[in-house]
Amino acid sequence: MTEYEMTERIRASAEAVQIPEKLLPDAIRLQLAHQTKQEKHDCPSDKKNHSFRSKSLTAAVIFLVCGIGIYGTCRMSGGFGAETDEPQYSMTADDAAESKTTEQTDDAASMTRPAALSPDSSDSGESVHPAQQIPVQKSNAGDLYVVAENYAQVYDRLQHSYYSGYTTGSSADKLMDDTAWVESAENPVMNSTSMEGAESSMAEDFSDSTSRSDAYSKTNVVTEGVDESDIVKTDGACLYLLQEDRIRIIDVQGQNMKQIGEISILMDDSSSRVMEMYVDGNVLNLILEKQETQLKQQEGEDVFYMDSDIVTELLTYDISDRENPVFSGSITQDGSYRTSRKIGTVVYLFSEQYMETDGMVKSRAILEENTSGWIPLVNGKPVAADCIYLPEQGNNGLLVSSVDVTNPKETIDQTLILHGFVDVYVSTESLYLYHTDYSGSEIYTQIAKFSLKQGNIDAVGAVSAEGEVCDTFAIWEQNGKLRLLTTDQSGPETENSLFLFDEDLKLTGTLKGIAKGEEIYAARFFGDMAYFVTYRNTDPLFAVDLSDETNPKILSELKITGFSEYLHLWGTDKLFGIGFETDPDSGRTEGIKLTMFDISDPADLTVAGNCVIRNIDYSPALYQYKCVLADPDENLIGFAAESFQGRSDSSYLLFSWEDGSFKEILAESLGEDDAIDQCRGIYVGNRFYLVSPDSVRAYDRTDDYRRMETLAF
């Protein structure tokens, strides 16, 4: 007998039971609501609290109605054993009555935010920090993501997605017409300095030393003006190295490197880890992912089980004294760390988790004291219902919080988007979430745009476009306008397209049928030009003029052997590419290829020079742009690489571009245990530093990159 059949039999037999009036659902909900109001201030909900304050009362009712031992209200292995009335997502008549009663008593289903506060006023009469302002009512992202009215809607959508067998994207018949687009309208840290009562002092730059050079490398990012976290950073005076549970601060201003400071993190669990960091002036931010595991008892039974939750945390430090960093605050949010971005002083933190209702019936799940059991938490509080965006289907929750690092204990805004799976692109003004829809016979990319004004996250609209985005740099915003390159493999022959949208996501221009039979491997937008590489057995580089937004034009196409996986602008008249050389007949790869394209005349693209490294089989630079050092001002191109010929052999390679050719200026062997995707090449002034997980090596740039010293850990 299945669980559903058993539930139906229990329900049928329960219908004959005469229930006392004081134990009818409406009466009980009134008692629960009254009890909830009394307990709110004395017993706030703990994180992921799966127990309920009225346990004995609820258990008695269920026992009376069902005539058997209750199902656990906790999340069960595999998602079963839930207390739901039946495995469906539609609202029953009882649920409707229960919802109405709940709204009359406590209105817990809504839990929306209060009206927005002005920066200089609050209920207490005290001034409000800009990061504590409550954003205005959020807008829908067309029909793609709709703001929830209350938690009941969120519950229904999760149940709908779970029981309907979720597939990515919505049905194809709602997506596109023949124009190929549719508009839709507490203290976890230990170090040598006491952190209690610490105040941030973030106004002055570190070091007044005249020996400090202004030239130092930055993290390679997608968008200029949008910083990205990484495992190694420098501010021109120090190197900051992430190594497992600590940050090492290495002074590089003197003749020799020396460690002057350290931040150590107390890990609560062996699965916890520090992910990445930011360094900006006198502020250092760490992103921590930790797993919280608890032994819980199934309600009403002598059954215990392990329950684990993953939490992402943003820690902020005042490093005005590099030798004694001071912890200044943190925020936490549920879910695994996905990514982050930093614009000015505001960090946008993205985490993700699969959402489920933890086996609660809807009438109980939407009560305020129970929402923390299934709605993700930010700083220990559930995301408000009107900060949750609902798709047609989807159980994954992407949680985005914004934090001003000058007020690191509070969030400016928080937004939860339910989805199947989305990619993230962030410009200086906007956030774009996009995913590929394979649900129909054709392939589409669905895109939602959100504005990022002073840390507030609000939807602008949504669109769909034929094909899928195959490269991180194939989606771009210029002056608030979206530019998109896609590859469509749903037809008899692969095609590529370019779409141009205005600030409101209205389609202004398009190019279709580009490079049939090939797909886009790498892309770059630069001013009013788009450059992209497609590949089958040769590598055509296309130059497209976007100056007329209604009529983009292909200016030229350059074909060479091999293909580029990553493109980087080199000054104003060249484009650097790194990829593979291939045999033009068989397509077999023959080594890593560096190419310098001359784009001084977009109508006549040429190759200024290339270099094939035939004893190299792989480099993380091909797929992880933050592993690449590409600096035209300093004339440096660096990346780690690996050979699998005979035995695994890894090295770090550094090149310059001189007199029309690539010149190798450093080839340093890496240790056998070094993870090459964790190696970074960094320059500060006249020195170059090769940072690997177990050491920092320093080289003199003025003396043919002679190795000066090694600092091992």
Side-chain angles (χ1 to χ4, degrees):
M1 181 183 300
T2 67
E3 182 178 323
Y4 176 74
E5 293 171 341
M6 181 181 293
T7 304
E8 288 299 304
R9 290 192 180 186
I10 293 171
R11 181 179 290 104
S13 62
E15 290 177 352
V17 177
Q18 185 68 34
I19 303 175
E21 183 175 350
K22 66 179 181 179
L23 293 180
L24 288 173
D26 288 348
I28 290 174
R29 272 184 298 279
L30 287 172
Q31 295 178 56
L32 289 173
H34 178 69
Q35 179 178 334
T36 297
K37 290 179 179 179
Q38 289 184 326
E39 294 180 349
K40 276 181 184 177
H41 301 292
D42 301 328
C43 246
S45 298
D46 293 332
K47 182 183 182 307
K48 296 296 183 185
N49 182 5
H50 298 283
S51 63
F52 305 103
R53 298 186 176 91
S54 52
K55 188 182 298 182
S56 59
L57 179 61
T58 306
V61 175
I62 297 176
F63 181 85
L64 177 63
V65 173
C66 297
I68 63 171
I70 64 170
Y71 287 104
T73 60
C74 311
R75 177 167 51 230
M76 302 295 290
S77 173
F80 296 100
E83 193 184 5
T84 51
D85 293 334
E86 57 184 8
Q88 62 182 34
Y89 59 84
S90 58
M91 181 181 288
T92 64
D94 287 342
D95 275 339
E98 291 170 358
S99 180
K100 181 177 180 181
T101 303
T102 304
E103 292 172 0
Q104 292 173 342
T105 56
D106 198 24
D107 197 26
S110 296
M111 283 189 64
T112 55
R113 299 161 294 169
L117 299 177
S118 63
D120 56 356
S121 66
S122 67
D123 291 340
S124 63
E126 299 176 354
S127 63
V128 180
H129 190 282
Q132 295 174 302
Q133 297 180 51
I134 301 172
V136 297
Q137 178 65 40
K138 294 184 182 296
S139 306
N140 293 335
D143 296 327
L144 186 57
Y145 300 110
V146 178
V147 178
E149 296 179 5
N150 49 51
Y151 285 131
Q153 284 190 347
V154 181
Y155 183 98
D156 289 342
R157 190 57 50 91
L158 290 176
Q159 295 296 93
H160 171 87
S161 298
Y162 181 80
Y163 287 114
S164 64
Y166 175 70
T167 56
T168 302
S170 58
S171 57
D173 59 356
K174 295 184 66 176
L175 289 176
M176 305 284 289
D177 57 19
D178 58 3
T179 65
W181 68 289
V182 172
E183 175 195 350
S184 310
E186 235 3 314
N187 189 355
V189 188
M190 289 291 292
N191 58 36
S192 59
T193 302
S194 171
M195 291 165 286
E196 299 213 0
E199 295 294 332
S200 297
S201 175
M202 306 177 180
E204 298 179 0
D205 288 336
F206 173 59
S207 175
D208 294 327
S209 171
T210 57
S211 62
R212 174 180 173 180
S213 171
D214 291 332
Y216 60 90
S217 53
K218 309 289 199 319
T219 299
N220 194 19
V221 299
V222 172
T223 304
E224 185 177 355
V226 181
D227 197 9
E228 299 189 33
S229 53
D230 201 5
I231 58 175
V232 178
K233 292 280 188 177
T234 184
D235 57 9
C238 293
L239 303 181
Y240 303 84
L241 283 55
L242 169 57
Q243 293 184 314
E244 296 182 347
D245 61 347
R246 70 191 63 205
I247 300 294
R248 298 183 187 272
I249 303 177
I250 312 297
D251 185 355
V252 295
Q253 297 178 100
Q255 185 64 28
N256 300 105
M257 296 183 291
K258 62 179 179 179
Q259 180 172 327
I260 60 171
E262 182 175 294
I263 300 173
S264 297
I265 310 297
L266 291 179
M267 296 297 191
D268 298 328
D269 190 281
S270 60
S271 60
S272 301
R273 54 181 179 158
V274 183
M275 307 299 291
E276 294 174 329
M277 64 177 159
Y278 290 96
V279 175
D280 186 6
N282 290 323
V283 182
L284 184 146
N285 297 107
L286 291 183
I287 299 168
L288 176 68
E289 181 184 275
K290 56 186 180 181
Q291 185 167 350
E292 298 179 348
T293 304
Q294 299 175 342
L295 182 65
K296 295 186 178 181
Q297 183 177 7
Q298 187 170 320
E299 187 173 339
E301 298 182 16
D302 293 328
V303 176
F304 293 85
Y305 66 97
M306 300 295 292
D307 183 77
S308 296
D309 300 302
I310 298 179
V311 177
T312 297
E313 187 168 10
L314 179 70
L315 311 174
T316 301
Y317 296 84
D318 175 5
I319 57 171
S320 53
D321 180 357
R322 265 55 173 181
E323 296 183 11
N324 297 288
V326 177
F327 176 71
S328 53
S330 68
I331 67 105
T332 61
Q333 62 187 59
D334 283 353
S336 303
Y337 175 60
R338 174 71 184 275
T339 190
S340 66
R341 298 292 188 271
K342 186 171 183 287
I343 304 173
T345 61
V346 178
V347 173
Y348 295 89
L349 189 64
F350 297 75
S351 63
E352 194 161 29
Q353 71 178 64
Y354 181 81
M355 290 183 60
E356 52 188 342
T357 55
D358 283 350
M360 289 182 279
V361 292
K362 182 167 139 185
S363 57
R364 295 176 61 186
I366 62 178
L367 293 177
E368 182 176 351
E369 68 268 25
N370 297 334
T371 54
S372 62
W374 61 287
I375 295 294
L377 309 179
V378 177
N379 276 350
K381 297 180 181 179
V383 177
D386 61 353
C387 288
I388 301 176
Y389 282 88
L390 304 179
E392 183 177 336
Q393 288 184 326
N395 280 71
N396 290 323
L398 181 69
L399 180 55
V400 189
S401 294
S402 54
V403 181
D404 192 318
V405 298
T406 64
N407 186 36
K409 298 179 183 179
E410 304 289 339
T411 60
I412 303 172
D413 194 10
Q414 51 196 253
T415 298
L416 175 66
I417 302 103
L418 297 186
H419 65 95
F421 179 82
V422 292
D423 282 306
V424 174
Y425 164 63
V426 180
S427 71
T428 56
E429 300 177 350
S430 307
L431 160 66
Y432 292 88
L433 302 180
Y434 61 99
H435 69 269
T436 305
D437 185 351
Y438 301 100
S439 60
S441 59
E442 298 180 314
I443 298 174
Y444 299 98
T445 295
Q446 295 187 321
I447 309 163
K449 179 180 180 179
F450 297 80
S451 66
L452 302 176
K453 293 182 179 179
Q454 299 179 336
N456 291 315
I457 307 161
D458 192 23
V460 174
V463 292
S464 295
E466 292 175 342
E468 60 183 315
V469 177
C470 296
D471 181 66
T472 300
F473 295 86
I475 179 170
W476 189 258
E477 184 186 84
Q478 179 82 12
N479 298 325
K481 302 174 182 180
L482 178 63
R483 299 169 173 189
L484 186 72
L485 286 162
T486 67
T487 297
D488 187 356
Q489 302 185 63
S490 61
E493 191 173 27
T494 300
E495 294 188 13
N496 303 282
S497 299
L498 167 71
F499 299 93
L500 304 179
F501 301 93
D502 67 9
E503 296 89 340
D504 299 319
L505 296 181
K506 300 285 195 308
L507 184 70
T508 59
T510 185
L511 270 175
K512 294 185 178 181
I514 305 171
K516 292 186 176 182
E518 303 178 358
E519 63 178 283
I520 293 173
Y521 270 56
R524 274 287 182 173
F525 290 92
F526 178 47
D528 287 328
M529 294 297 301
Y531 299 94
F532 56 93
V533 166
T534 62
Y535 178 73
R536 183 161 55 187
N537 283 336
T538 58
D539 174 1
L541 173 68
F542 288 87
V544 182
D545 183 359
L546 312 178
S547 57
D548 184 349
E549 297 176 355
T550 64
N551 187 29
K553 295 180 178 180
I554 296 177
L555 298 182
S556 62
E557 174 186 350
L558 173 66
K559 291 188 177 183
I560 61 174
T561 58
F563 59 90
S564 297
E565 289 277 12
Y566 174 76
L567 296 175
H568 194 101
L569 290 168
W570 200 259
T572 59
D573 61 355
K574 290 182 177 60
L575 185 67
F576 164 68
I578 178 171
F580 286 103
E581 176 64 296
T582 61
D583 184 290
D585 298 320
S586 66
R588 182 175 59 88
T589 59
E590 298 179 339
I592 300 293
K593 183 177 184 178
L594 310 181
T595 306
M596 190 67 75
F597 299 98
D598 187 336
I599 58 173
S600 56
D601 182 359
D604 184 22
L605 298 174
T606 60
V607 173
N610 59 56
C611 172
V612 178
I613 314 168
R614 298 191 181 275
N615 60 334
I616 295 297
D617 300 300
Y618 167 76
S619 171
L622 300 170
Y623 313 106
Q624 301 178 40
Y625 55 87
K626 284 191 279 190
C627 296
V628 182
L629 170 62
D631 192 317
D633 293 333
E634 295 295 315
N635 196 15
L636 292 175
I637 297 169
F639 53 91
E642 192 168 9
S643 172
F644 306 121
Q645 301 173 15
R647 65 183 182 86
S648 179
D649 184 22
S650 58
S651 58
Y652 191 90
L653 305 177
L654 190 65
F655 295 85
S656 63
W657 172 252
E658 299 179 21
D659 300 324
S661 63
F662 292 97
K663 177 184 177 182
E664 183 180 272
I665 54 180
L666 181 67
E668 188 74 4
S669 178
L670 299 173
E672 292 183 2
D673 297 329
D674 283 346
I676 62 173
D677 60 341
Q678 297 180 31
C679 294
R680 298 289 187 271
I682 290 178
Y683 69 85
V684 177
N686 290 324
R687 294 183 186 175
F688 178 79
Y689 299 93
L690 176 55
V691 183
S692 62
D694 60 358
S695 68
V696 180
R697 308 175 208 181
Y699 304 83
D700 188 345
R701 296 177 63 191
T702 65
D703 188 11
D704 293 329
Y705 283 80
R706 173 182 57 86
R707 189 195 291 194
M708 302 172 62
E709 60 177 324
T710 299
L711 187 61
F713 308 112

